[in-house]
Amino acid sequence: MTGAWLRDSGNNNSNTRQRVWVFMDSNQVGHFLRYESDVKLREDAYTLKSLPFRCTGTGHVIYKGHLYCNLYNSTTIIRYDIDANVTKTQVELTGAGFGTYPYSIGAMTDIDFAVDEKGLWVIYATQANSGKIVISKVDEETLKLQKTWLTDYTKRLAGNAFMINGILYAISPHEVFSRIYIAYIFDTEAGQGRKLEPQELPLQDKVDGNEAMSIVMLDYNHLERTLYAWVLRGWDGHLVRYHISCVKSPV
């Protein structure tokens, strides 16, 4: 089963910042599970919350108490207040593809939100940019695109992607029994990107015995300096964290 899991990386409330949110499936996502802590996650003790709409893909984020996601069967993006149960903002992501420019894993991953130290981003691709990755900085309230960068890396060649401090990291494409590594980086401050060799920034070996492994969701939490991943082993979904350290290096 595919899905997504995460914490609210904009939550500074010590009473609620340990909450874990889990979204099941990647097609029509109409509800999510809220766990109060990692302990409750291990115990599978959750609160089920239904949505008044359907999200799609695995690129959802929760930021400052709001869910950001791609509305099912559209290129519309949504900002939803979780506590108030109200859709605050809903806009069309102009030029974005739907069902045309997913990551290599598929799973309706055309539109992918990300949060880092600099705020909210959306990662997608457009026909105008020949299906290559487009990165836009997003106003967290209005969902207006504040600035957009066009990369030279085809989105279907990326297994998934995330942002750290304004830099896009795209992982290697989904290939059975191959190593997972950072295949491309793009620095929005410098406006430059480059491809990487497998040995430069490996994420992990994909092979575990004879079992294939795929990453269908990947998001960075800057408060924890942790990557949250939804990993498929066979048909089983696994919730995985990668603890990382960042060293400044020019693109």
Side-chain angles (χ1 to χ4, degrees), residues 53 67-69 71 76-80 87 89-90 113 143:
F53 50 82
L67 166 66
Y68 296 84
C69 77
L71 185 66
T76 298
I77 54 177
I78 284 181
R79 172 179 175 247
Y80 177 76
T87 299
T89 318
Q90 181 172 322
F113 281 101
L143 297 184

Side-chain angles (χ1 to χ4, degrees), residues 9 40 42 60 76 78 105 140 147 160 171-172 189 195 210 218 222 237:
S9 59
K40 295 300 182 183
R42 288 191 291 270
H60 337 296
T76 298
I78 284 181
I105 192 64
E140 65 187 65
K147 189 172 181 179
N160 216 289
I171 64 171
S172 50
E189 184 174 339
K195 297 178 182 178
N210 293 317
L218 194 59
H222 68 276

